[in-house]
Amino acid sequence: WMRHETNLGALSNFGALLHEAKGHYFMWLADDDFLSPGYISRCVRRLSEPDAPRHVVGRAVSRRDGIVFREESFQYVDVDPRERVLSYYRSVKGNSLFYSMSTTDDAREVLPFMPGISFDWVHVARHLFLGSAEYLNDVTLTFTPDGGDDTAKADISIGPDWHRQTYKMFYVASDVARDICAHPVYSGLRPGQRRALAIRCASVTFIHCSSRGGLFSAAVMRLKRYLPAGLYLWLRNTWRQ
């Protein structure tokens, strides 16, 4: 049990926990998410097998007000690490792989985090470049991503970085390309291969974030600059429901 004197924020809190971890296996779990019976032992059993992937996670189910609105059960097992990363950036939604289980040494290998709204995406992509990931469909990781709070309060609290969340299709694509060009995980690629992967991943990420829902979300968040907070929260929550 660790308690910090001040609120470190999400990134520093995740990092501090991993730094202090003593066990052979590691996973993060948020305070409003829960595991099906036998989840931990099932993940450990798979990771201990000779053909084990680098990461495993249960079938990810996202619920809001008791209603399932998203399920994730992908497999990223391509032999070519570049294809694993590309496949991930094409399909990532709730990013349940951030809460996957791996060995503690593997979990530490891709630190530090990239600051910003896309830290969890680029973190998982680094792992996928180094190894495969599997979803185990016989156990379940359930997300309740909004907890018990108002579903739009986080938007109000973003403050001066509001534009990064509003126009995230540009910022996330930029972060993805920058990370591939700069992080040591990708250093095994030749310079031309690295640039090509950065461009391809940035392109698919931009398209992925520019879905109808993403564009509507950007429009609503842009209105936040002009609407009273109460009216904005009502519009944002109505859209999410």
Side-chain angles (χ1 to χ4, degrees):
W1 172 262
M2 298 163 55
R3 182 176 178 85
H4 302 288
E5 293 298 322
T6 58
N7 189 340
L8 302 183
L11 267 69
S12 296
N13 209 37
F14 283 133
L17 180 63
L18 180 52
H19 177 74
E20 294 295 328
K22 301 293 193 298
H24 180 66
Y25 296 107
F26 179 87
M27 62 176 285
W28 284 299
L29 187 68
D31 64 329
D32 53 356
D33 305 331
F34 56 92
L35 310 173
S36 63
Y39 184 97
I40 298 294
S41 58
R42 176 69 177 94
C43 290
V44 169
R45 188 165 69 252
R46 179 66 183 111
L47 286 174
S48 63
E49 293 173 353
D51 62 339
R54 183 182 178 90
H55 283 258
V56 294
V57 65
R59 181 172 56 89
V61 177
S62 297
R63 296 178 183 269
R64 184 178 291 125
D65 298 326
I67 299 173
V68 175
F69 67 91
R70 181 191 298 133
E71 291 193 30
E72 291 183 338
S73 184
F74 305 115
Q75 305 295 334
Y76 300 107
V77 294
D78 297 276
V79 175
D80 188 334
R82 294 169 295 180
E83 292 303 317
R84 290 196 299 268
V85 174
L86 272 167
S87 178
Y88 166 73
Y89 279 129
R90 287 192 188 102
S91 59
V92 57
K93 293 180 180 177
N95 200 22
S96 51
L97 270 179
F98 186 77
Y99 297 97
S100 61
M101 183 185 289
S102 68
T103 67
T104 305
D105 288 341
D106 282 351
R108 289 176 176 147
E109 189 174 1
V110 301
L111 292 176
F113 292 118
M114 169 185 278
I117 62 170
S118 53
F119 80 92
D120 56 329
W121 285 24
V122 298
H123 180 81
V124 170
R126 294 170 187 172
H127 276 297
L128 289 174
F129 188 79
L130 295 175
S132 61
E134 290 182 9
Y135 282 77
L136 306 174
N137 287 314
D138 53 345
V139 287
T140 305
L141 169 61
T142 299
F143 293 93
T144 53
D146 299 312
D149 290 333
D150 191 309
T151 59
K153 283 182 179 178
D155 295 344
I156 292 292
S157 68
I158 289 173
D161 288 335
W162 67 273
H163 57 283
R164 291 184 65 85
Q165 184 64 35
T166 304
Y167 305 113
K168 66 180 181 180
M169 62 284 294
F170 296 101
Y171 287 99
V172 174
S174 174
D175 287 347
V176 165
R178 184 158 47 93
D179 191 67
I180 292 172
C181 290
H183 198 276
V185 160
Y186 300 97
S187 60
L189 296 174
R190 295 193 299 271
Q193 292 176 318
R194 202 163 178 173
R195 287 192 294 270
L197 180 62
I199 293 170
R200 292 178 70 190
C201 288
S203 299
V204 300
T205 303
F206 180 85
I207 294 170
H208 186 48
C209 292
S210 300
S211 63
R212 187 190 314 181
L215 294 174
F216 188 81
S217 176
V220 172
M221 287 201 70
R222 188 70 183 88
L223 289 174
K224 180 168 70 74
R225 307 296 294 174
Y226 307 103
L227 295 177
L231 178 57
Y232 167 74
L233 290 172
W234 179 81
L235 285 172
R236 181 75 161 147
N237 288 332
T238 300
W239 168 71
R240 285 187 172 181
Q241 291 169 8

